[in-house]
Amino acid sequence: MSEGESPDWTQFEGDPSVRQVSVNGVCMRTNIVEAKLDEGNIQEAESALRDGLSLNFEEARALLGKLEYQRGNVEGALRVFDGIDLQAAIQRMQHSFSDKQPSKKSRSRNEAVYAVSQHATNVVLEAIYLKAKSLQKLGKLTEAAQECKSVLDAVEKIFDNGIPDVMVENKLQDTVSHAVELLPELWKLAGCYSEAISAYRRALLSQWNLDNECCARIQKAFALFLLYGGVEANPPSLAVQVDGSYVPKNNLEEAILLLMILMRKFHLGNTNWDPSVMEHLSFALSLCSQTSVMVKQLEEIMPGVVHRNDRWKALALSFSGDGLNKSALDLLRKSLHQHEDPDDVMSLLLAAKICSEDVLLASEGMKYAQRVIENARESKAHLKGVGLRLLGLCLGKQAKISSSDLERSRFQSEALKSFENALGLEHGNADLIFDLGVQYAEHRNLDAALRYAEQYIEATGGSTLRGWRLLALVLSAQQRFSKAEVVIDAALDETAKWDQGPLLRMKAKLKISQLRHMDAIETYRYLLALVQAQRKSYGSLGSAPQVEDDKINEYEVWHGLAKLYSSLSHWKDAEICLQKASALKEYSAEILHTEGLMHEKQGHLEEALAAYINAILLEPTYVPCKILIGAVFSKMGSKMSPVARSLLSDALRIEPTNAMAWYYLGKVHKDDGRISDAVDCFQAASMLEESVPIESFSSLL
């Protein structure tokens, strides 16, 4: 039944312009009643209905008000509805239902009487529902909600155990369903959000005998309100909780639960497919980093419900959110195949983003980013800047694995050009400003890097950790350690306790650079206590925060302490710290590198060389050990000189700004008699040593 309509009201066969009403098998034309209403004689119109259809006072008023509502006279309908005594009607209907509800033995005899009682009940309840609708149209939202609530209160009083799922008249069920669905919407419109939440829960937890579609609409509306309403809902009351059942702790959990129930209904075929539910569930799960759950939901959808290309893209996004970039990229390659949707900008953007995070995929990512730029037209023109930024990131990654200096220089130049072009399209984009700052810093253009770092902090209001880290690293590369420490202290004041790990680590390294080793040890000890307290606060899942961005784990602290004690020749303390680090990360090139340094400083050259070689076997691109192996081989005479030169050259190919690699390569050239080459290497080492940051700039990406 649509709002304000009922099968009782039909057109008169002799004159289509005249309507007639049928109640209890008795028909009556409404033209006489409408004429009296036009004259303002409500009492006479009511009497005409009562006499013509054998109705009581409330039923006559209800039908009269409905007639006014259907004629569009909302205020007139409201005046008629105000005369209905709902409480008296409820008492009468309670008595009627308790006496006449059909039993199994006398069902055939009492069914007709029971149907009449239901019809009378519906007439009155529908009148109160239409009264709520009338108040809503007049902007009296709180009053409308209270009237709508009275409908549901009346139903609960009339039917003690809820509406029975059999022998319920369709019109009565429709009225109840409409009221259940309308009540929370009225409370929301009135700004009474806690009442709206209670109404939603009442709708879903009470026995209203709602059909699947109506229940699904209510569940979806409640989930969206929890997600986007901006109001924190209290957990459901203890009265509705069942022992052993799952009880949501906050808005997000309750919204996810509702959306997953809806998805389950779709899978079982109980309700019609609604693609927006999948989109809202994806958003909700991404907020709590549980996109792996979305993968399972997508895999349960029957073939044909969602186009395979859309399924691939949604799965790729979920895999990417869960850190499974390889699986995500495989799906995107299928989605972007020439026979599928090769020019889909959003898929190209995600593929380019995944590739921009891996140097081995940088060249593939450049192609995706170029296609984004080419296809970003009309409504998607604003994405051209995003494509240029991703192209810049891929070019920067490709520069790091280039085989020649000329090619590396070209990629670096093109990367900077892409970032500048992107910034021209997206003025004030903080991410672009940050990327430009990092690119200039890696190229040792520290003045430009400093300018962009300051711009980024200004653009973000100092609200992000990476901005402070970039500024401090640039200052440390300029050998302005005291100024960098001031920046770190300012950042610590603006940062929550659990997020201070990277800043404290940098502070310790700044103290080491200023030869304040005891202060550095104290900072590391404080950092260790912080990390351990954080791990305990997460209980058995203590490792979870360690894999997040801008976090530091316990392994890094122990390893940092081991390196510090080793530099001070405190071998016993260094070994203890190294053992602690090894227990947390068994196979690590960094640990083997530190072990090798300790052996070399103690004069155990063979053990040191073995540790360095093991590190390279474990991580073939680990630059510090390539340099140290090359340095050791350079001391073994002219026969090992080619090996040393090859290792050092390979280290510079991977990390061309490494001052130590240039220095030892210069020594190799000097020993081989290539004085001119040696001078060039020593000059490069000297210049780079003056701009070495306390941590690699690439650690920011």
Side-chain angles (χ1 to χ4, degrees), residues 279-351:
E279 295 171 3
H280 296 303
L281 181 58
S282 297
F283 170 73
L285 290 169
S286 68
L287 291 178
C288 55
S289 302
Q290 294 294 328
T291 54
S292 59
V293 177
M294 195 64 214
V295 173
K296 296 178 182 178
Q297 294 292 325
L298 288 164
E299 289 174 344
E300 288 182 3
I301 298 175
M302 294 295 290
V305 175
V306 178
H307 191 278
R308 65 178 183 180
N309 208 11
D310 293 331
R311 190 195 296 259
W312 290 338
K313 288 187 283 189
L315 281 169
L317 194 61
S318 299
F319 278 128
S320 176
D322 199 34
L324 302 174
N325 284 341
K326 185 179 183 299
S327 299
L329 190 58
D330 287 341
L331 286 165
L332 289 170
R333 286 168 179 155
K334 294 170 67 175
S335 174
L336 293 169
H337 190 272
Q338 61 178 349
H339 298 306
E340 296 294 341
D341 194 359
D343 297 328
D344 180 61
V345 173
M346 301 309 294
S347 297
L348 289 167
L349 280 173
L350 182 56

Side-chain angles (χ1 to χ4, degrees), residues 472-473 475-477 479-482 484-485 505-517 519-520 524 564 567 692-695:
L473 285 178
L475 290 170
S476 72
Q479 309 303 302
R480 298 161 65 184
F481 300 118
S482 298
E485 192 169 353
R505 181 186 61 203
M506 290 180 67
K507 186 171 184 177
K509 292 180 179 180
L510 283 169
K511 292 182 183 298
I512 294 171
S513 299
Q514 299 172 79
L515 303 180
R516 294 158 54 192
H517 297 104
D519 291 343
Y524 267 125
L564 177 53
S567 68
V692 176
I694 56 172
E695 289 182 357

Side-chain angles (χ1 to χ4, degrees), residues 1-7 66 69-70 126 129-130 174 178:
M1 180 181 70
S2 61
E3 293 174 5
E5 295 180 356
S6 169
K66 182 175 181 179
Y69 184 86
Q70 290 178 330
E126 185 185 27
Y129 168 73
L130 291 177
D174 288 344
H178 286 316

Side-chain angles (χ1 to χ4, degrees), residues 485-506:
E485 192 169 353
V486 170
V487 169
I488 292 296
D489 288 336
L492 286 169
D493 292 338
E494 300 292 329
T495 306
K497 183 178 180 181
W498 290 143
D499 298 326
Q500 291 179 352
L503 296 173
L504 290 169
R505 181 186 61 203
M506 290 180 67

Side-chain angles (χ1 to χ4, degrees), residues 165-229:
D165 56 359
V166 294
M167 295 300 296
V168 177
E169 191 181 48
N170 289 338
K171 287 177 284 186
L172 174 59
Q173 181 63 63
D174 288 344
T175 300
V176 174
S177 299
H178 286 316
V180 169
E181 197 170 353
L182 178 64
L183 181 58
E185 300 302 320
L186 290 173
W187 283 128
K188 285 194 297 184
L189 292 171
C192 302
Y193 300 121
S194 59
E195 287 84 354
I197 292 169
S198 298
Y200 274 126
R201 288 174 176 162
R202 182 184 185 185
L204 297 173
L205 296 173
S206 299
Q207 180 63 36
W208 303 114
N209 196 32
L210 303 175
D211 63 62
N212 287 328
E213 292 299 330
C214 179
C215 187
R217 287 194 301 271
I218 295 171
Q219 288 172 328
K220 179 183 175 182
F222 188 22
L224 299 191
F225 181 66
L226 290 168
L227 275 179
Y228 312 116

Side-chain angles (χ1 to χ4, degrees), residues 584-658:
L584 294 168
K585 190 174 181 180
E586 188 174 359
Y587 301 104
S588 168
E590 293 175 325
I591 291 177
L592 291 168
H593 169 240
T594 305
E595 285 181 357
L597 285 174
M598 291 170 60
H599 287 307
E600 189 171 355
K601 286 183 179 180
Q602 295 176 77
H604 306 147
L605 198 59
E606 290 185 5
E607 290 86 345
L609 189 58
Y612 297 149
I613 292 173
N614 286 336
I616 294 297
L617 292 173
L618 191 63
E619 192 175 327
T621 59
Y622 191 65
V623 170
C625 284
K626 283 181 177 288
I627 295 170
L628 291 173
I629 294 172
V632 171
F633 283 164
S634 69
K635 299 173 184 177
M636 294 182 177
S638 58
K639 289 185 178 180
M640 299 302 294
S641 182
V643 180
R645 186 167 61 252
S646 175
L647 285 165
L648 293 168
S649 297
D650 192 41
L652 287 170
R653 179 188 62 81
I654 300 169
E655 197 174 313
T657 56
N658 192 298

Side-chain angles (χ1 to χ4, degrees), residues 99-111 114:
D99 289 345
K100 300 172 184 176
Q101 189 163 351
S103 63
K104 291 182 179 179
K105 293 182 179 179
S106 59
R107 183 179 298 274
S108 59
R109 186 178 65 240
N110 289 340
E111 275 182 358
Y114 186 62

